[in-house]
Amino acid sequence: MQWLALGTGLLVALGIIAIGIGYVASPRTMTRSFGLPLPESGNNIAWWLRLKGVRDIVAGLVVLAFLAFGTPRDVGLILLVEAIIPVGDMLLILAAKGSAKSAFGMHGLTAAVMILAAIPLIVGVA
């Protein structure tokens, strides 16, 4: 069970890094899947979206660092803490009356996967 949870953590980390790279490289394209419309069409919007990309890359790298140098319990704790990010994204999209499909289907599902991977690592299920 532990290898499955650690593998899930690895996939989550690589996925969020890929999303972050997408936001840095092509922010306007990536934002279409997030669940909220762009607030304006000015030149600075892309730079604001790139900030999200940098943060996503770092969030994924933190998980990778814990996978490489931490214990399985450490990985579980960081996955649990970082699950707050997609939960927050989901709640903000719903509050803004954005795409419920994106809110639940992408952000909610990501949070659920992270939490389900974290639990066995934290409690030490082998």
Side-chain angles (χ1 to χ4, degrees):
M1 181 68 146
Q2 191 175 38
W3 64 270
L4 179 61
L6 289 170
T8 301
L10 176 62
L11 290 176
V12 167
L14 294 175
I16 197 64
I17 289 169
I19 290 168
I21 290 169
Y23 268 94
V24 170
S26 184
R28 291 183 189 275
T29 301
M30 290 299 293
T31 196
R32 290 186 193 124
S33 67
F34 188 78
L36 289 174
L38 287 172
E40 62 176 76
S41 60
N43 292 333
N44 289 328
I45 289 297
W47 295 107
W48 284 102
L49 295 171
R50 286 184 178 107
L51 290 173
K52 179 199 176 326
V54 170
R55 284 162 176 74
D56 285 350
I57 292 167
V58 172
L61 289 173
V62 168
V63 175
L64 290 181
F66 276 85
L67 281 163
F69 302 109
T71 66
R73 185 171 189 276
D74 294 338
V75 175
L77 289 170
I78 202 68
L79 283 172
L80 190 61
V81 169
E82 285 198 7
I84 296 168
I85 297 169
V87 168
D89 290 347
M90 178 185 72
L91 295 174
L92 290 170
I93 291 167
L94 293 172
K97 301 200 184 332
S99 168
K101 181 179 177 183
S102 291
F104 292 115
M106 183 183 349
H107 304 289
L109 183 60
T110 299
V113 167
M114 292 173 76
I115 292 166
L116 290 173
I119 292 170
L121 296 172
I122 292 170
V123 290
V125 175

Coordinates of all heavy atoms in Angstrom, one line a residue, residues 8-9 11-13 15-17 19 33-34 52 56 59 79-80 82-90 101-118:
T8 N 1.6 7.6 -6.1 CA 0.6 8.6 -6.3 C 1.2 10.0 -6.0 O 0.9 10.9 -6.8 CB -0.7 8.3 -5.5 OG1 -1.2 7.0 -5.8 CG2 -1.7 9.4 -5.7
G9 N 1.9 10.1 -4.9 CA 2.5 11.3 -4.6 C 3.5 11.8 -5.7 O 3.5 13.0 -6.0
L11 N 3.3 11.0 -8.9 CA 2.5 11.5 -10.0 C 1.9 12.8 -9.8 O 1.8 13.7 -10.7 CB 1.4 10.4 -10.3 CG 1.9 9.1 -10.9 CD1 0.8 8.1 -11.1 CD2 2.6 9.3 -12.2
V12 N 1.4 13.1 -8.6 CA 0.8 14.4 -8.3 C 1.9 15.5 -8.4 O 1.7 16.5 -9.0 CB 0.2 14.4 -6.8 CG1 0.0 15.8 -6.4 CG2 -1.0 13.6 -6.8
A13 N 3.1 15.2 -7.9 CA 4.2 16.2 -8.0 C 4.6 16.5 -9.4 O 4.7 17.6 -9.8 CB 5.4 15.6 -7.2
G15 N 2.7 16.0 -12.0 CA 1.6 16.6 -12.7 C 1.5 18.1 -12.4 O 1.3 18.9 -13.3
I16 N 1.7 18.5 -11.1 CA 1.6 19.9 -10.8 C 2.8 20.7 -11.3 O 2.7 21.8 -11.7 CB 1.4 20.1 -9.3 CG1 0.9 21.5 -9.0 CG2 2.7 19.9 -8.5 CD1 -0.4 21.9 -9.5
I17 N 4.0 20.0 -11.4 CA 5.1 20.7 -12.1 C 4.8 20.9 -13.6 O 5.1 22.0 -14.1 CB 6.4 19.9 -11.9 CG1 6.8 19.9 -10.4 CG2 7.5 20.4 -12.8 CD1 7.9 18.9 -10.1
I19 N 1.9 21.3 -14.9 CA 0.9 22.4 -15.0 C 1.6 23.7 -14.8 O 1.3 24.7 -15.5 CB -0.2 22.1 -14.0 CG1 -1.1 21.0 -14.5 CG2 -1.1 23.4 -13.8 CD1 -2.1 20.5 -13.4
S33 N -8.5 25.9 -18.7 CA -8.9 24.7 -18.0 C -9.1 25.0 -16.5 O -9.5 24.1 -15.8 CB -7.9 23.6 -18.2 OG -6.6 24.0 -17.6
F34 N -8.7 26.1 -16.0 CA -8.7 26.3 -14.5 C -10.1 26.4 -13.9 O -10.4 25.9 -12.8 CB -7.9 27.6 -14.2 CG -7.7 27.8 -12.7 CD1 -6.8 27.1 -12.0 CD2 -8.5 28.7 -12.0 CE1 -6.6 27.2 -10.6 CE2 -8.4 28.8 -10.6 CZ -7.4 28.1 -9.9
K52 N 1.3 32.0 -10.8 CA 0.7 30.7 -10.5 C 1.5 29.6 -10.9 O 1.7 28.6 -10.2 CB -0.7 30.6 -11.0 CG -1.4 29.3 -10.7 CD -2.6 29.0 -11.6 CE -3.2 27.7 -11.4 NZ -2.4 26.6 -10.9
D56 N 3.1 26.6 -8.6 CA 2.8 25.2 -8.9 C 4.1 24.4 -9.0 O 4.2 23.3 -8.5 CB 2.0 25.0 -10.2 CG 0.5 25.4 -10.0 OD1 0.1 25.7 -8.8 OD2 -0.2 25.5 -11.0
A59 N 5.5 23.9 -5.6 CA 4.7 22.9 -4.8 C 5.0 21.5 -5.2 O 5.2 20.6 -4.3 CB 3.2 23.2 -5.0
L79 N 1.8 16.1 1.5 CA 0.7 15.9 0.6 C -0.6 16.4 1.2 O -1.4 17.1 0.6 CB 0.5 14.4 0.2 CG 1.5 13.9 -0.8 CD1 1.3 12.4 -1.0 CD2 1.3 14.6 -2.2
L80 N -0.8 16.1 2.5 CA -2.0 16.6 3.2 C -2.1 18.1 3.3 O -3.1 18.7 3.0 CB -2.1 16.0 4.6 CG -3.4 16.1 5.4 CD1 -4.5 15.5 4.6 CD2 -3.2 15.5 6.8
E82 N -0.4 20.2 1.3 CA -0.6 20.8 0.0 C -1.9 20.6 -0.6 O -2.3 21.2 -1.6 CB 0.5 20.3 -0.9 CG 1.9 21.0 -0.6 CD 2.9 20.8 -1.8 OE1 2.5 20.3 -2.9 OE2 4.0 21.3 -1.6
A83 N -2.7 19.6 -0.1 CA -4.1 19.4 -0.6 C -5.0 20.6 -0.3 O -6.0 20.8 -1.0 CB -4.7 18.1 0.1
I84 N -4.5 21.5 0.5 CA -5.3 22.7 0.8 C -5.3 23.6 -0.5 O -6.3 24.3 -0.7 CB -4.6 23.5 2.0 CG1 -4.8 22.7 3.3 CG2 -5.3 24.9 2.1 CD1 -3.9 23.3 4.4
I85 N -4.3 23.5 -1.3 CA -4.2 24.3 -2.5 C -5.4 24.0 -3.5 O -6.2 24.9 -3.8 CB -2.9 24.2 -3.2 CG1 -1.8 24.7 -2.3 CG2 -2.9 24.9 -4.6 CD1 -0.4 24.4 -2.8
P86 N -5.6 22.7 -3.9 CA -6.7 22.4 -4.8 C -8.1 22.6 -4.1 O -9.1 23.0 -4.7 CB -6.5 21.0 -5.3 CG -5.6 20.4 -4.3 CD -4.7 21.5 -3.7
V87 N -8.1 22.4 -2.8 CA -9.4 22.6 -2.1 C -9.7 24.1 -2.1 O -10.9 24.5 -2.4 CB -9.3 22.2 -0.6 CG1 -10.5 22.7 0.2 CG2 -9.3 20.6 -0.5
G88 N -8.7 25.0 -1.9 CA -8.9 26.4 -2.0 C -9.3 26.8 -3.4 O -10.2 27.7 -3.6
D89 N -8.6 26.3 -4.4 CA -9.0 26.6 -5.8 C -10.4 26.2 -6.1 O -11.2 27.0 -6.6 CB -8.1 25.9 -6.7 CG -6.6 26.4 -6.7 OD1 -6.4 27.4 -6.2 OD2 -5.8 25.7 -7.3
M90 N -10.8 25.0 -5.6 CA -12.2 24.6 -5.8 C -13.2 25.5 -5.2 O -14.2 26.0 -5.8 CB -12.4 23.2 -5.3 CG -13.8 22.6 -5.4 SD -14.0 21.0 -4.6 CE -14.0 21.5 -2.9
K101 N -17.8 22.2 -13.1 CA -17.1 21.0 -13.6 C -15.6 21.0 -13.4 O -15.0 20.0 -12.9 CB -17.4 20.9 -15.1 CG -16.8 19.7 -15.8 CD -17.1 19.7 -17.3 CE -16.5 18.6 -18.0 NZ -16.7 18.6 -19.5
S102 N -15.0 22.1 -13.6 CA -13.6 22.3 -13.3 C -13.3 22.2 -11.8 O -12.3 21.6 -11.3 CB -13.0 23.6 -13.9 OG -13.0 23.5 -15.3
A103 N -14.2 22.9 -11.0 CA -14.0 23.0 -9.6 C -14.0 21.6 -9.0 O -13.0 21.3 -8.2 CB -15.1 23.8 -9.0
F104 N -15.0 20.8 -9.3 CA -15.1 19.5 -8.7 C -14.2 18.4 -9.4 O -13.5 17.6 -8.8 CB -16.5 19.0 -8.6 CG -17.4 19.8 -7.7 CD1 -18.4 20.6 -8.1 CD2 -17.1 19.7 -6.3 CE1 -19.2 21.3 -7.2 CE2 -17.9 20.4 -5.4 CZ -18.9 21.2 -5.9
G105 N -14.3 18.5 -10.8 CA -13.7 17.5 -11.6 C -12.2 17.5 -11.6 O -11.5 16.5 -11.7
M106 N -11.6 18.7 -11.5 CA -10.1 18.8 -11.5 C -9.6 19.1 -10.1 O -8.8 18.3 -9.6 CB -9.7 20.0 -12.5 CG -8.2 20.1 -12.6 SD -7.6 21.4 -13.6 CE -9.0 22.0 -14.5
H107 N -10.0 20.2 -9.5 CA -9.5 20.6 -8.3 C -9.9 19.7 -7.1 O -9.1 19.3 -6.3 CB -9.8 22.1 -8.0 CG -9.4 23.0 -9.1 ND1 -8.1 23.3 -9.3 CD2 -10.1 23.6 -10.1 CE1 -8.0 24.1 -10.4 NE2 -9.2 24.3 -10.8
G108 N -11.2 19.4 -7.1 CA -11.7 18.6 -6.0 C -11.2 17.2 -6.1 O -10.8 16.6 -5.1
L109 N -11.1 16.6 -7.3 CA -10.5 15.3 -7.5 C -9.0 15.3 -7.1 O -8.6 14.3 -6.5 CB -10.7 14.9 -9.0 CG -10.3 13.4 -9.3 CD1 -11.0 12.4 -8.5 CD2 -10.5 13.2 -10.8
T110 N -8.3 16.3 -7.5 CA -6.9 16.4 -7.1 C -6.7 16.4 -5.6 O -5.9 15.6 -5.1 CB -6.2 17.6 -7.8 OG1 -6.3 17.6 -9.2 CG2 -4.8 17.8 -7.3
A111 N -7.5 17.2 -4.9 CA -7.4 17.2 -3.5 C -7.8 15.8 -2.9 O -7.1 15.4 -2.0 CB -8.4 18.3 -2.9
A112 N -8.8 15.2 -3.4 CA -9.2 13.9 -2.9 C -8.1 12.8 -3.1 O -7.7 12.1 -2.2 CB -10.5 13.4 -3.6
V113 N -7.4 12.8 -4.3 CA -6.3 11.9 -4.5 C -5.2 12.2 -3.6 O -4.6 11.2 -3.0 CB -5.9 12.0 -6.0 CG1 -4.6 11.3 -6.2 CG2 -7.0 11.4 -6.9
M114 N -4.9 13.5 -3.4 CA -3.8 13.8 -2.5 C -4.1 13.3 -1.0 O -3.2 12.8 -0.4 CB -3.5 15.3 -2.5 CG -2.9 15.8 -3.8 SD -2.8 17.6 -4.0 CE -1.3 17.8 -3.0
I115 N -5.3 13.6 -0.6 CA -5.6 13.2 0.8 C -5.6 11.7 0.9 O -5.1 11.1 1.9 CB -7.0 13.8 1.2 CG1 -6.9 15.3 1.3 CG2 -7.5 13.2 2.5 CD1 -8.2 16.1 1.3
L116 N -6.2 11.0 -0.1 CA -6.2 9.5 0.0 C -4.8 8.9 -0.1 O -4.5 7.8 0.5 CB -7.1 8.9 -1.1 CG -8.6 9.2 -1.0 CD1 -9.3 8.7 -2.2 CD2 -9.1 8.5 0.3
A117 N -3.9 9.6 -0.8 CA -2.5 9.1 -0.8 C -1.8 9.4 0.6 O -0.9 8.7 1.0 CB -1.7 9.7 -1.9
A118 N -2.2 10.5 1.2 CA -1.5 11.0 2.4 C -1.8 10.1 3.6 O -1.0 9.8 4.4 CB -1.9 12.4 2.7

